[in-house]
Amino acid sequence: MIKLFEATSFEDTRVMITDAGRVDVESRGLRRLDPVQRNSAARDAVVRFLHVAPGHQGRDLRSLLESRFGRFEGELFTPDDIRQATAYLAQKRMADVDEIDEGHWWTPRLTDLGIDCAEHFGGSVADYLSHNEGKAANTTVNFHGPVTGSNVVWSSREITQAVRVSTGLAGDELAALIGAIKQSLPVLGLTEAESTRLRGQLEVAEGELESEEPDTGAIKSVLKRVVAKIDDVATTSLGFLLTAYAKHLMEKAGVPLA
């Protein structure tokens, strides 16, 4: 990740970041911008902290921010990150809280479910919930395209069937991607006019993602134009990372850029 130049003493030591190091740093920055990864990490941090430091259960959680669990990708969690994480754990019955005032999310105590998560799943809330909620006797069928006609019936007993029609768009991932591109526009080598134009197009796509019935065609069209433009001018590792990730998501959405 760095290149070390030989020197006769420590004071003369010189280092230079390599392409691999630069990619690692910029990738870390992109992960910090992803609210899905950040929220998930905050929930895991609360569970792990309370499990290894049971004396802090039912007490103010500001001490978590001073512990080894208090950072995501090297960046300190915010108080709001921890409040939201604790609220989520309470909703999932993995933690109990004292509802006494606006600060009550600061005083969680792990329930038996939270302890099981820590001891059997390493504190990974997502893995714990996926394992346990997957035990429900429901069958989900994904149809990648429109479903017409009457209900789908399978030859089975005591099974609740649910049909989900896939739009081919991963909303959370696309929202994170759009946010990352918007924040990166000033350093991608674009002119001010190009940056302003792309920002406007991205805000259109953001608006569609936030609407109750998003126009998936419009979202895909905007992303194709924006990514194609960035791909034309990208001269930094960040630009290459953004376009590579965008192309990956577009492939998943069934709209390859090539």
Side-chain angles (χ1 to χ4, degrees):
M1 297 179 67
I2 63 172
K3 183 178 293 185
L4 179 64
F5 295 91
E6 293 185 8
T8 57
S9 65
F10 179 77
E11 290 77 9
D12 295 329
T13 299
R14 292 181 298 150
V15 296
M16 181 179 71
I17 192 169
T18 63
D19 287 343
R22 188 173 292 106
V23 167
D24 180 80
V25 171
E26 292 175 349
S27 298
R28 188 182 302 275
L30 287 176
R31 290 194 294 272
R32 285 177 178 171
L33 294 174
D34 186 349
V36 176
Q37 295 187 59
R38 189 181 188 92
N39 291 342
S40 179
R43 296 162 191 165
D44 295 352
V46 172
V47 171
R48 290 166 179 160
F49 174 73
L50 291 178
H51 187 255
V52 302
H56 288 278
Q57 299 211 38
R59 295 170 54 188
D60 192 307
L61 266 190
R62 287 185 179 86
S63 52
L64 182 153
L65 300 178
E66 301 169 0
S67 73
R68 61 188 175 92
F69 301 99
R71 295 179 181 274
F72 171 62
E73 294 292 350
E75 185 175 77
L76 196 67
F77 284 117
T78 66
D80 197 46
D81 289 332
I82 303 304
R83 275 196 292 268
Q84 290 184 29
T86 310
Y88 182 88
L89 295 173
Q91 180 187 8
K92 294 296 184 179
R93 296 181 297 171
M94 298 174 68
D96 287 331
V97 294
D98 297 320
E99 299 191 23
I100 53 177
D101 54 38
E102 292 184 357
H104 67 273
W105 297 125
W106 286 104
T107 59
R109 294 177 298 277
L110 290 183
T111 64
D112 289 344
L113 299 183
I115 293 172
D116 287 344
C117 172
E119 296 184 349
H120 300 295
F121 293 86
S124 172
V125 175
D127 288 350
Y128 173 81
L129 293 177
S130 176
H131 175 80
N132 287 279
E133 293 178 354
K135 294 180 179 179
N138 293 331
T139 299
T140 299
V141 183
N142 293 300
F143 290 87
H144 296 280
V147 177
T148 59
S150 58
N151 292 334
V152 179
V153 178
W154 301 94
S155 179
S156 57
R157 299 177 57 192
E158 299 179 355
I159 294 179
T160 301
Q161 298 180 46
V163 177
R164 181 185 303 130
V165 180
S166 173
T167 64
L169 286 175
D172 289 340
E173 290 179 307
L174 288 176
L177 170 66
I178 290 171
I181 293 176
K182 285 176 64 179
Q183 292 202 30
S184 303
L185 286 175
V187 295
L188 291 178
L190 300 164
T191 66
E192 185 174 348
E194 290 171 333
S195 182
T196 300
R197 184 168 63 254
L198 293 188
R199 184 179 299 277
Q201 294 174 354
L202 289 167
E203 288 174 353
V204 170
E206 270 186 328
E208 288 294 340
L209 282 173
E210 293 171 359
S211 66
E212 293 183 0
E213 297 183 1
D215 184 340
T216 56
I219 296 170
K220 293 174 183 178
S221 177
V222 166
L223 285 175
K224 286 185 71 172
R225 292 197 302 271
V226 171
V227 173
K229 181 61 180 177
I230 294 175
D231 201 21
D232 285 342
V233 301
T235 58
T236 66
S237 298
L238 178 58
F240 295 135
L241 280 169
L242 285 172
T243 54
Y245 183 50
K247 289 175 181 178
H248 168 68
L249 287 186
M250 297 298 283
E251 288 283 352
K252 286 174 61 177
V255 189
L257 294 175

